[in-house]
Amino acid sequence: MEAQQASPDSSSEECTVLEALPGKGTTLICSQHKGKVSVLYCLACENAICEDCKKGEHSEHPTDSLENIVDQQLAALQDRVDSAKNRLPQIREAVQCLRDILQQLITQRSSIEEDIHSSFSELHKTLDTRKSVLLMELEVTYGLKQKVLQAQLDTLLQEEAAINHNCSLTGEALDGGNKAVVLQTHKDVGERLSDLASQGLPLQPEENDQLDLMMEIEGLRKSIHNLGTIVTTNAVASQSEASGEGLEQCVVGHPASVIITTRDKAGGLCKTGNAIISAEVCTPDGSVADGEIVDHKNGTYEFQYTVKKEGNFSLALRLYDQHIKGSPFQLKVTCSPDDSPPTTTAANAASTGSSDGGARKRSAKSPGSRSRQKGVRRGGSLFSTPKKRVNPIEDDLIFKIGTKGRNKGEFTNLQGVAACSTGKILIADSNNQCVQIFSNTGEFQSRFGVRGRSPGQLQRPTGVAVHPNGDIIIADYDNKWVSIFSSEGKYKAKLGSGRLMGPKGVSVDQNGHVIVVDNKACTVFIFQPSGKLVTKFGSRGIGDRQFAGPHFAAVNNNNEIIITDFHNHSVKVFNADGDFLLKFGSNGEGNGQFNAPTGVAVDVNGNIIVADWGNSRIQVFDGSGSFLSYINTAADPLYGPQGLALTSDGHVVVADSGNHCFKVYRYLQ
């Protein structure tokens, strides 16, 4: 190397260039002072110097022993090499995973191509046009998927080659023992190794290998122009998430459910079904609990299962044989029934990033004794048998408000709904620990609520009602009391503390008494606003005066109390003293049947409007419980509706819990 003149303020590139002393091995000589051995290292100039340099142009620079610096840089280089090499197993595993997916994608493509040719060979020549369209669609779909996977694979292979190349260069410097080479390598390669070691890489597959063909032979002559569909999704396991109480806990012998929300590589929601999802609950002895997957055909899926003994279990949820975000989950199964209301599990949703996004989704334990709830099917399931299901009233969606989130006009597991004569709609935003207030036309007006377990704070508001004096009454499930706030959201009092176990719904009768539906205690309490208990009725069971997880209440013009009995799949009516009057409903999907009823309201004519949670629909009955009609929700299907109310302008407002919004429908009384 040639010597360069250095100055005290020069950069490291301008400082002394090192030379190895001939015949002296790795000893360095100073190019500025011939014959002088460099034994020091200038920290300011980042170069080796001799004693004369120290006395001259480097006199004011901090220095250290050259041996110490070389040892430090050797150690630093070795650490960076080790750090970079530690990424190699992850990269190789990701590369192998992508190769497997690509190979499976190619295999699927070849298999489907054979199926297409085979199917069309049996048909008339007029089918050739449709065949070409399908083959083109296959090629486009395959090409898009292959492009994503190949680009990801190329990126990983390039990074792998870069790490190997730079590690090889550094390894030669480390093995050679030449100090000059070590110093130069540290300058040239060290930072590059650090970048390679810390660089974010797409290790999770950004596409899947699904390519399926849906082909129907029967009736082809009538639908030849629409024959065949290439079925796939863009869902990836690393972005997909799960929510629901069924992720954390369930009760022995009771159906539980988990909602799986599929997302693409960018985290966007997938809005079509047909993804390949598997789920299993592993018991301590290795057995698997009963369960099945229900495809909602909108990008979400519900895993419904039942565990027959208590203990701690593992719940694994996989998409295309890969664990989704947070999987496997730890599940606790207990013997004690817990009729807690549907809620999104924040802890598990956090592992999905939701949150949101998460997300989240209808997350209550599945009602009923069946392991599968056919009633959760969306859209067409409500009107798939028109001869049996006639809706003589043409009701339509007017508007909907909300998405999943924590800001104004956003919700996380909204439950209770109330409306008042002043033209306001109140929403109990359960997991956001607040109540949000809107006008009848959907404009956001205000919200209030501070999370906590002290008086005046909200932990899990599930029910909301408005007193004739304007006060806002809120059932707080986790705080086990009912809070009373002014119309401006200022705390005034609480009632039921020490008596309530899990208040879900609240309402107000014509005497101004507060009716509280205690979901856990399976009891209805009636309080004066001062907190004095007027009466209570109900216990756990299946009798006329008994409940199994009651949810919400409404009061008609006769001051009769109407209660939705969630797990008994019925609606029960009592007088103001708690005497049983009548009940209607049974478990099923037919007219007048329920799969876990939730919200309830009464119109001016005494007709009863009921939210059918498990069947995701709204039914209308007369005062005696005879079925009248459905609210038409087919255009934008509900997903696990909860509380509902009648607005002051005569419309129906419902909390569409699974879709994180509330909807207002035109209602013809």
Side-chain angles (χ1 to χ4, degrees):
M1 300 181 183
E2 294 183 359
Q4 296 178 357
Q5 184 66 37
S7 66
D9 298 325
S10 62
S11 65
S12 59
E13 288 79 3
E14 296 171 332
C15 286
T16 306
V17 178
L18 306 177
E19 291 184 351
L21 189 64
K24 297 292 185 178
T26 61
T27 301
L28 301 179
I29 62 171
C30 178
S31 61
Q32 297 297 317
H33 303 91
K34 295 298 183 179
K36 295 290 185 176
V37 177
S38 298
V39 295
L40 299 175
Y41 186 86
C42 178
L43 300 176
C45 300
E46 297 184 353
N47 213 339
I49 61 175
C50 67
E51 292 288 355
D52 289 350
C53 292
K54 173 61 178 174
K55 297 174 182 178
E57 61 267 31
H58 297 276
S59 60
E60 296 182 358
H61 294 185
T63 61
D64 197 354
S65 165
L66 180 61
E67 292 294 332
N68 290 341
I69 295 300
V70 170
D71 290 342
Q72 291 174 15
Q73 293 190 1
L74 277 171
L77 283 170
Q78 187 61 56
D79 288 342
R80 293 177 181 182
V81 168
D82 293 340
S83 178
K85 285 185 175 180
N86 285 339
R87 297 301 301 275
L88 291 176
Q90 294 175 296
I91 293 176
R92 288 167 184 154
E93 182 178 354
V95 166
Q96 186 58 50
C97 178
L98 288 171
R99 283 174 171 161
D100 291 343
I101 293 176
L102 276 169
Q103 184 57 51
Q104 183 62 25
L105 187 66
I106 294 170
T107 302
Q108 289 290 91
R109 176 207 175 199
S110 300
S111 176
I112 292 174
E113 190 174 22
E114 291 177 6
D115 290 343
I116 292 173
H117 284 294
S118 175
S119 298
F120 277 89
S121 65
E122 299 174 3
L123 302 175
H124 194 267
K125 292 181 180 181
T126 55
L127 296 178
D128 287 344
T129 300
R130 182 58 184 170
K131 179 176 69 172
S132 299
V133 170
L134 280 176
L135 288 171
M136 182 181 301
E137 183 181 351
L138 173 63
E139 289 300 320
V140 170
T141 305
Y142 165 79
L144 292 174
K145 286 177 171 286
Q146 189 271 345
K147 183 177 180 181
V148 172
L149 291 168
Q150 189 63 53
Q152 185 182 5
L153 180 61
D154 292 342
T155 297
L156 292 175
L157 290 173
Q158 289 173 8
E159 292 300 319
E160 181 183 27
I163 289 176
N164 286 328
H165 174 70
N166 285 280
C167 287
S168 177
L169 291 177
T170 306
E172 294 175 4
L174 295 175
D175 294 337
N178 189 307
K179 294 179 180 178
V181 174
V182 169
L183 291 172
Q184 198 65 37
T185 302
H186 182 271
K187 290 181 181 179
D188 297 340
V189 184
E191 184 176 351
R192 200 179 312 154
L193 284 170
S194 296
D195 292 340
L196 289 170
S198 61
Q199 184 175 356
L201 297 176
L203 299 179
Q204 296 298 325
E206 295 179 347
E207 198 27 293
N208 58 62
D209 59 0
Q210 183 184 9
L211 281 176
D212 289 329
L213 173 70
M214 294 182 65
M215 179 70 70
E216 306 224 0
I217 301 300
E218 298 297 327
L220 287 181
R221 297 183 183 277
K222 297 181 180 180
S223 57
I224 189 170
H225 296 293
N226 296 313
L227 176 63
T229 302
I230 300 298
V231 177
T232 188
T233 75
N234 298 111
V236 295
S238 60
Q239 294 291 333
S240 299
E241 56 198 19
S243 62
E245 284 185 346
L247 289 178
E248 291 184 341
Q249 60 184 5
C250 69
V251 178
V252 172
H254 285 229
S257 69
V258 173
I259 298 299
I260 299 100
T261 302
T262 55
R263 297 180 182 273
D264 61 23
K265 65 177 182 178
L269 289 172
C270 296
K271 297 183 179 181
T272 58
N274 300 308
I276 300 175
I277 293 178
S278 61
E280 61 181 8
V281 179
C282 295
T283 62
D285 59 7
S287 61
V288 178
D290 296 333
E292 64 176 317
I293 299 289
V294 177
D295 185 353
H296 293 156
K297 302 299 181 182
N298 61 358
T300 67
Y301 306 78
E302 186 168 7
F303 174 50
Q304 302 167 350
Y305 67 93
T306 303
V307 182
K308 298 181 180 179
K309 60 182 177 180
E310 64 179 340
N312 295 317
F313 308 102
S314 174
L315 169 57
L317 300 173
R318 295 182 177 90
L319 174 66
Y320 302 110
D321 290 328
Q322 296 179 4
H323 283 286
I324 69 169
K325 193 182 298 183
S327 177
F329 303 93
Q330 299 304 309
L331 175 67
K332 183 177 182 180
V333 182
T334 61
C335 286
S336 300
D338 178 7
D339 293 323
S340 60
T343 180
T344 300
T345 306
N348 280 318
S351 68
T352 74
S354 43
S355 177
D356 115 134
R360 311 22 57 336
K361 308 308 176 185
R362 188 186 59 182
S363 54
K365 298 181 291 298
S366 302
S369 59
R370 298 174 299 168
S371 62
R372 173 171 182 153
Q373 296 179 29
K374 296 180 180 179
V376 301
R377 291 176 298 174
R378 304 277 77 81
S381 67
L382 301 185
F383 306 100
S384 58
T385 53
K387 293 183 179 180
K388 295 183 179 179
R389 299 171 186 252
V390 178
N391 186 359
I393 304 175
E394 293 297 331
D395 302 317
D396 298 306
L397 175 67
I398 301 175
F399 64 83
K400 65 178 180 179
I401 301 293
T403 57
K404 186 175 183 180
R406 296 190 174 276
N407 298 317
K408 297 176 182 179
E410 298 178 341
F411 307 99
T412 306
N413 192 28
L414 66 167
Q415 296 200 32
V417 175
C420 61
S421 58
T422 58
K424 295 181 179 179
I425 297 172
L426 293 83
I427 306 293
D429 193 358
S430 180
N431 285 16
N432 286 334
Q433 292 87 26
C434 69
V435 169
Q436 300 198 47
I437 302 176
F438 300 81
S439 70
N440 278 353
T441 54
E443 288 83 10
F444 174 85
Q445 294 188 343
S446 64
R447 69 173 179 178
F448 65 90
V450 177
R451 179 180 180 179
R453 296 187 178 273
S454 300
Q457 297 178 324
L458 300 175
Q459 188 64 24
R460 189 166 157 200
T462 52
V464 61
V466 180
H467 196 275
N469 65 13
D471 286 345
I472 300 172
I473 302 165
I474 302 173
D476 195 327
Y477 192 91
D478 283 356
N479 278 332
K480 302 178 182 179
W481 63 54
V482 172
S483 296
I484 300 178
F485 294 81
S486 70
S487 58
E488 293 79 26
K490 295 182 179 179
Y491 175 70
K492 297 178 68 173
K494 67 176 181 177
L495 55 85
S497 181
R499 293 181 182 271
L500 302 174
M501 296 177 61
K504 168 75 175 182
V506 288
S507 187
V508 180
D509 68 12
Q510 295 181 4
N511 298 320
H513 294 157
V514 179
I515 301 167
V516 183
V517 181
D518 194 326
N519 174 271
K520 276 196 172 182
C522 293
T523 302
V524 176
F525 292 82
I526 303 178
F527 296 94
Q528 293 180 356
S530 64
K532 181 179 179 180
L533 180 66
V534 177
T535 187
K536 66 177 182 178
F537 59 90
S539 60
R540 186 182 301 278
I542 60 174
D544 289 343
R545 285 177 51 86
Q546 294 180 309
F547 304 101
H551 267 49
F552 292 97
V555 180
N556 64 17
N557 292 333
N558 297 323
N559 212 30
E560 295 169 342
I561 304 169
I562 304 162
I563 307 293
T564 52
D565 196 353
F566 190 84
H567 290 298
N568 283 332
H569 311 291
S570 61
V571 174
K572 297 178 180 179
V573 184
F574 303 82
N575 66 19
D577 297 323
D579 297 325
F580 174 78
L581 298 178
L582 66 94
K583 73 174 180 180
F584 57 90
S586 60
N587 190 11
E589 296 180 315
N591 297 346
Q593 293 184 309
F594 300 110
N595 190 352
T598 48
V600 61
V602 181
D603 68 19
V604 294
N605 297 318
N607 295 324
I608 302 169
I609 308 164
V610 183
D612 190 353
W613 180 83
N615 289 323
S616 285
R617 63 188 182 184
I618 302 173
Q619 300 190 67
V620 184
F621 302 81
D622 66 17
S624 64
S626 297
F627 173 79
L628 294 178
S629 66
Y630 296 103
I631 302 293
N632 190 346
T633 63
D636 190 356
L638 297 170
Y639 183 17
Q642 294 246 17
L644 60 77
L646 279 169
T647 64
S648 58
D649 53 358
H651 300 314
V652 172
V653 54
V654 60
D656 192 353
S657 180
N659 288 320
H660 310 292
C661 66
F662 71 87
K663 295 176 178 176
V664 175
Y665 293 93
R666 187 172 293 104
Y667 176 68
L668 305 180
Q669 301 185 29

